[in-house]
Amino acid sequence: RLGRHQASRVFAGLLATAMCMLVLLPLFGLPRSVWLAAVAIPPSVFAAGRLWKQPDTTEFVVPAQAMTLLSFVLFSLGGGVGLLIAKY
């Protein structure tokens, strides 16, 4: 098991990897409008930052969970809208 401290680092790395992969998607044939998924960056940075600073404090973890969920929703909506814009 990673433990809370190491898990918070892995979590930040996963979010950073997802955002970096978003930048590369047009190289694989997707339209650049998928970059609208970047709307998820602010809540992702907030969540990762909260967990990075205080991975053992529940008062910091709960808002990070909410921001993580929001970032997933925004990523999906932004990318989906970007694909729809490119299609029409």
Side-chain angles (χ1 to χ4, degrees):
R1 296 176 57 90
L2 291 175
R4 289 183 182 231
H5 181 75
Q6 282 185 305
S8 69
R9 281 21 180 197
V10 170
F11 177 74
L14 287 172
L15 292 177
T17 301
M19 297 309 160
C20 289
M21 290 177 69
L22 173 64
V23 172
L24 299 175
L25 287 177
L27 296 175
F28 296 101
L30 275 83
R32 287 183 304 200
S33 57
V34 297
W35 288 339
L36 287 175
V39 71
I41 292 175
S44 296
V45 169
F46 175 84
R50 295 283 285 207
L51 286 177
W52 192 279
K53 291 177 188 175
Q54 296 287 336
D56 295 321
T57 308
T58 303
E59 293 83 23
F60 281 82
V61 173
V62 172
Q65 290 172 334
M67 288 294 118
T68 300
L69 180 57
L70 178 62
S71 72
F72 291 160
V73 170
L74 290 175
F75 192 92
S76 298
L77 286 174
V81 168
L83 290 174
L84 286 173
I85 287 172
K87 183 171 176 115
Y88 298 105

